[in-house]
Amino acid sequence: MATATAHNAAGAQVTNHARARAGLPPVQANPQLARVAAQHACDMALRGRMTHLGSTTTGPSMRLKQSGYQPSIAAENIAAGPFSLTRVLSEWSTSPGHLDNILLPQVRDFGVGQALAEDGRTVYWAAVYAAPR
């Protein structure tokens, strides 16, 4: 499912709140990263498996490069469950490993995506944090 511009902007806003508390520069909502995130969320939902490994990719850097974005750094947060955007962003902001990705100082761009699994209840989420070369 494609990420609505408003959802991507809301995700960047929450991300920037955490980054500001840490004294870091803000990220910008990037539609290309949102597409990459949404495609990975769809891939996870189709396979019914939460993983950073894609069905044809090894991680977020590879997915970004395939989309034409040349990252100098890339990180990804993923989740699966009955989570809304607000809840998944909150969960990532309070989880040490996920927060580490949010607070990478070099990151400049952000994108989030979601996909609903076949069961109609489980939402797969991916957020991509990156900076271009």
Side-chain angles (χ1 to χ4, degrees):
M1 155 186 317
T3 303
T5 302
H7 283 150
N8 204 38
Q13 184 177 10
V14 171
T15 299
N16 285 333
H17 184 70
R19 290 177 65 83
R21 284 195 314 261
L24 294 169
V27 295
Q28 60 183 351
N30 182 303
Q32 186 175 7
L33 268 62
R35 281 190 300 276
V36 169
Q39 288 167 353
H40 185 57
C42 287
D43 184 45
M44 290 189 295
L46 286 170
R47 294 184 292 148
R49 186 168 164 231
M50 189 177 75
T51 176
H52 292 285
L53 293 174
S55 55
T56 62
T57 58
T58 57
S61 287
M62 185 177 188
R63 289 187 280 278
L64 286 169
K65 287 175 187 170
Q66 287 178 348
S67 80
Y69 185 102
Q70 296 303 312
S72 62
I73 187 169
E76 178 178 74
N77 286 342
I78 57 174
F83 305 133
S84 65
L85 177 64
T86 303
R87 169 118 184 250
V88 78
L89 292 168
S90 173
E91 296 285 335
W92 287 334
S93 294
T94 58
S95 162
H98 294 102
L99 187 57
D100 287 347
N101 287 339
I102 292 167
L103 299 181
L104 284 167
Q106 308 92 324
V107 167
R108 296 291 175 264
D109 294 325
F110 167 85
V112 67
Q114 70 180 48
L116 188 61
E118 276 189 26
D119 67 11
R121 294 185 312 268
T122 306
V123 182
Y124 284 83
W125 289 94
V128 179
Y129 310 86
R133 287 192 192 278

